[in-house]
Every structure is written in structure tokens, then in C-alpha cells.
Amino acid sequence: MNIGIFTDTYYPQVSGVATSIKVLRNQLERAGHQVYIFTTTDPHVDKNIYERNIFRFTSIPFVSFTDRRIAVRGLFKAYQVAKDLGLDIVHTQTEFSMGMIGKFVAKQLKVPCIHTYHTMYEDYLHYIANGKLLKPYHVKEATRAYCYHLNGIVAPSERVANTLTGYGVKAPIRIIPTGIDINQYEQQSTVDYRQRLGYQSDTPVLLSLSRLAYEKNIHEVIAALPAILEQVPNAQLLIVGDGPARETLENQVQDAGLTAHVQFTGEIDNDEVYNYYQMADLFVSASNSESQGLTYIEAMAAGLKTVVAASPYTDQLLDDPSLGTTFTSETDLIKDVVRYLQHPNTFNDPKPRQKKLYQISAEYFGKKVINYYQDVQLAYSESADKSANISN
């Protein structure tokens, strides 16, 4: 198949969506398919450097998300490129500029269009005029409008599928969690990252790794740290990533007198991420805005136990204490973190992790998406034949 992926976000931008698309592209190409990325221009990409099968369209920073881009032109150029490539299917990854362009292209080429719904927008409304301009109702209506006439939707989790169904979306929905390259997280580090970061070999290290955005609730982890230190005095919190909440979080750490126990790394290269998972003792997240939570399965792939906020997805993912656990209150967060730090060898059954690894693998993810492409193409073809027979 010739597959066109339309996205506002792609490398070198750092996000769960960009990671998901990169993983998908690699798996589709390994299976023998041709993949073409239609995305936005990026100030960090040299226009004179050739990017294989990537087509970038003029863009500007997105309102309230200045590290994200939105295309401002390219509708007919995208159609012409897609026509020349002979796309068999369009897969959109955004509801905004490149997503709208992708839907237009699919309609003009008369090929099926499917969409992955990555973002739970109701969790991000505070970014737009402090939440005073857009309400959940607007998200519902905009989502229904975008999903109208789609041939299929990929939901990364049951939470996303239930949300879309609740919005009244009628397009077929299939739950396909994004997978990851297991080998990337199991590889052995060649650098002692504990030493690099100033930790002793026996220092209990809590890891927070994500975009530093307010909806990630990193402030809740910091707020719980004093109570954790009462029971594990030498514990350290390592906050990896960058984003709009960084200054606020740094001020919180300073005001709480925790600078000796908290370290910020800033943004790191994606190829280095596995080193941080492997050097830590426990992954911690209080975020409840995840549509899936790639960092949770990345931690699992690296063999790192996790303590994260409870949700239908995380409760299902962390169904054995050897993988980690979920919490619903600050008291539970503190108790769970202390338990894992004080008894690191208590929950070490390898079987649950081994069972999960294939389910969260990029290989499994790729196969599920390809099967969905084939099912959608078949349904599209049958619908087209039925329409032709009726018109005749």
C-alpha cells in the first residue's frame, strides 16, 4: 500500500504523537508498505536537507501552543503530491490543519480516510483564554464535525473510544494502543547516568518524564515529596523534559525547600530516553490527561516499575504489583512510592512483564493497524460498488 500520514506534529518536535507516528511509519515500512509523511515546516529543520518521503507545508506556531505548528497553506499542493504518489489510503493524526488537508485529499482521490484520535482536548481548554473561551461542548461539536464521513477511527485506549462514542461519533472505532520498540528500551546503556547526574549507586531515584505541562500534574508529585522524604530521607526526584510549566515547577521546588532533592534536566534527545528509565528506581506520574500514556509502557519496557494516577487504562495496564500500581489520592501516592522504594526486591516476578511486552510492542501495533487498513479498504470498496450499482 501507498500510505499518506497527515500530521501537524512530527520530528524533530517532541511529543507522544510524534513518537507514535515514527513507530507506525517504521513498522509499516518493515512490512513492505510505502509511507509518506505530510506535515508542517519546522524552524529546527534545515530546508536544504532532504528528508525521505516527508513533505512539509508552510506553517506558523499554533495559538497558545507555540511549540506546535499549524499549516497555513498547501491544500492543492498536497492533493497534487498525493495524486502523483498514488496514495491508497490516508491516515490523519490531527484534527487541525494537516488533518483537514488529509480529509480533502482522500475525498478527491476517492480513497478511504482513517484517523487516530490522540488528544483528550477537554484537558487542555485552560490553555485557550484561561478556559473562558472554549467549553467541553465546543470540543464535542468540533470532534463530531471532524469525524463525520471518516471511514475509521483508531482509539489508543478504551477511554478515548468511550469519549468519542459519548460525543456521538458514528464512524467505526477500533481500539489499537500505540506500541513501542521494545529493543530500544532494553538495550544496555554505555554511560553511567547516575554518576553523570550526581547520584550514588544506592540513591533512591524517582523519575518523572514528560512534557512539562500543567495538565501532567507534576506539581502533585512535588507536593508529595516532603512526606516521602520523611520515610526515605535520601530519595531524589528527577524531572526530565521541558514545557510551559517548568518555571512554575522550579519555583514550587524552591519555595518548598526541596532543591537538594529535585533536579530538572530540560529536554533530552529521544535516543537518550532509555538511559533515564534504566537508571531510575521508580517512575511516577500524577497525570490524568493521557489518552494512552506512552511513557508508562516505555518504563515497563525498560523494566522500571511505575506508580501512576488511576484510570481505566492504567488499572488494566498495571494489573500486577511487579509492574507497578495506581493511586487515587496523595496518601496512596506517598504510601505506594515508599513501599516500592523501601522494598525494591519484593515485587520481582518477571512473568507479568514478559506477558505484556508483546502487547505493547511496535510489531504488534503495526500488525493491528495494517489489519485495520485492510478492513477499511474492503468496506470502502464494497460501499463504492454498492453505490455504483444503485446509480446504474
Side-chain angles (χ1 to χ4, degrees), residues 44-178:
H44 298 101
V45 174
D46 188 340
K47 296 179 181 179
N48 298 316
I49 295 179
Y50 171 72
E51 296 180 284
R52 183 180 62 85
N53 292 349
I54 297 177
F55 304 93
R56 294 188 180 272
F57 297 81
T58 303
S59 66
I60 59 174
F62 191 45
V63 177
S64 299
F65 293 88
T66 55
D67 57 343
R68 297 292 179 254
R69 312 287 296 183
I70 185 167
V72 293
R73 66 182 66 169
L75 187 70
F76 294 103
K77 175 187 174 183
Y79 164 67
Q80 191 58 55
V81 170
K83 182 179 179 182
D84 293 342
L85 293 172
L87 294 187
D88 298 304
I89 193 167
V90 165
H91 189 168
T92 60
Q93 307 275 340
T94 172
E95 297 78 25
F96 298 100
S97 60
M98 295 308 302
M100 299 302 295
I101 290 174
K103 285 187 68 176
F104 172 81
V105 167
K107 182 177 181 180
Q108 297 304 310
L109 294 181
K110 294 182 173 57
V111 299
C113 180
I114 74 168
H115 175 65
T116 296
Y117 195 85
H118 288 281
T119 306
M120 304 299 287
Y121 290 104
E122 291 186 35
D123 297 325
Y124 294 81
L125 295 180
H126 57 280
Y127 281 106
I128 311 296
N130 293 321
K132 297 177 181 178
L133 181 62
L134 298 179
K135 303 297 180 183
Y137 170 80
H138 299 115
V139 174
K140 174 182 176 180
E141 292 301 303
T143 298
R144 287 178 58 183
Y146 182 84
C147 293
Y148 189 63
H149 282 167
L150 286 174
N151 303 105
I153 298 173
V154 174
S157 68
E158 187 174 348
R159 179 192 179 198
V160 175
N162 291 340
T163 297
L164 293 176
T165 301
Y167 286 164
V169 171
K170 302 300 183 184
I173 301 171
R174 186 171 298 185
I175 300 173
I176 306 178
T178 299

Side-chain angles (χ1 to χ4, degrees), residues 17 49 203 264 276 323 330 333 344 350:
V17 176
I49 295 179
T203 300
F264 292 82
Y276 292 86
L323 302 172
E330 182 180 277
L333 165 61

Side-chain angles (χ1 to χ4, degrees), residues 103-371:
K103 285 187 68 176
F104 172 81
V105 167
K107 182 177 181 180
Q108 297 304 310
L109 294 181
K110 294 182 173 57
V111 299
C113 180
I114 74 168
H115 175 65
T116 296
Y117 195 85
H118 288 281
T119 306
M120 304 299 287
Y121 290 104
E122 291 186 35
D123 297 325
Y124 294 81
L125 295 180
H126 57 280
Y127 281 106
I128 311 296
N130 293 321
K132 297 177 181 178
L133 181 62
L134 298 179
K135 303 297 180 183
Y137 170 80
H138 299 115
V139 174
K140 174 182 176 180
E141 292 301 303
T143 298
R144 287 178 58 183
Y146 182 84
C147 293
Y148 189 63
H149 282 167
L150 286 174
N151 303 105
I153 298 173
V154 174
S157 68
E158 187 174 348
R159 179 192 179 198
V160 175
N162 291 340
T163 297
L164 293 176
T165 301
Y167 286 164
V169 171
K170 302 300 183 184
I173 301 171
R174 186 171 298 185
I175 300 173
I176 306 178
T178 299
I180 60 172
D181 183 354
I182 302 298
N183 294 330
Q184 178 182 350
Y185 297 93
E186 290 185 326
Q187 63 182 308
Q188 293 301 308
S189 177
T190 59
V191 177
D192 187 340
Y193 271 72
R194 279 183 168 257
Q195 184 180 55
R196 173 183 286 187
L197 292 162
Y199 301 137
Q200 300 297 319
S201 60
D202 61 348
T203 300
V205 179
L206 304 176
L207 175 67
S208 168
L209 192 154
S210 71
R211 183 170 180 266
L212 304 192
Y214 295 98
E215 67 275 1
K216 300 298 183 181
N217 294 338
I218 301 170
H219 66 280
E220 295 184 12
V221 177
I222 296 173
L225 189 56
I228 294 170
L229 291 172
E230 288 180 4
Q231 301 177 70
V232 189
N234 60 335
Q236 293 283 328
L237 172 61
L238 181 65
I239 299 177
V240 178
D242 207 347
R246 178 170 179 173
E247 184 177 353
T248 300
L249 295 172
E250 289 177 333
N251 290 337
Q252 180 187 2
V253 168
Q254 187 171 6
D255 292 344
L258 294 170
T259 53
H261 291 275
V262 181
Q263 183 175 169
F264 292 82
T265 69
E267 188 173 303
I268 62 170
D269 189 282
N270 190 64
D271 293 334
E272 293 185 61
V273 167
Y274 75 96
N275 295 291
Y276 292 86
Y277 287 120
Q278 290 184 3
M279 58 76 63
D281 294 284
L282 192 66
F283 182 84
V284 184
S285 173
S287 173
N288 53 22
S289 66
E290 311 298 328
S291 60
Q292 178 184 0
L294 285 179
T295 52
Y296 307 160
I297 61 176
E298 289 173 352
M300 184 183 296
L304 182 64
K305 297 180 182 67
T306 64
V307 174
V308 302
S311 71
Y313 170 72
T314 55
D315 289 343
Q316 184 179 35
L317 179 70
L318 303 173
D319 56 3
D320 189 280
S322 64
L323 302 172
T325 191
T326 63
F327 64 87
T328 56
S329 67
E330 182 180 277
T331 300
D332 287 340
L333 165 61
I334 295 165
K335 179 187 67 176
D336 292 334
V337 167
V338 169
R339 180 177 55 151
Y340 277 108
L341 292 183
Q342 290 184 336
H343 308 285
N345 298 316
T346 303
F347 311 105
N348 278 339
D349 184 356
K351 293 179 182 178
R353 176 175 174 271
Q354 289 299 322
K355 184 179 179 181
K356 292 277 186 182
L357 285 183
Y358 181 67
Q359 298 174 7
I360 66 173
S361 69
E363 178 186 2
Y364 184 68
F365 171 54
K367 287 181 178 179
K368 297 282 281 186
V369 173
I370 291 170
N371 288 339

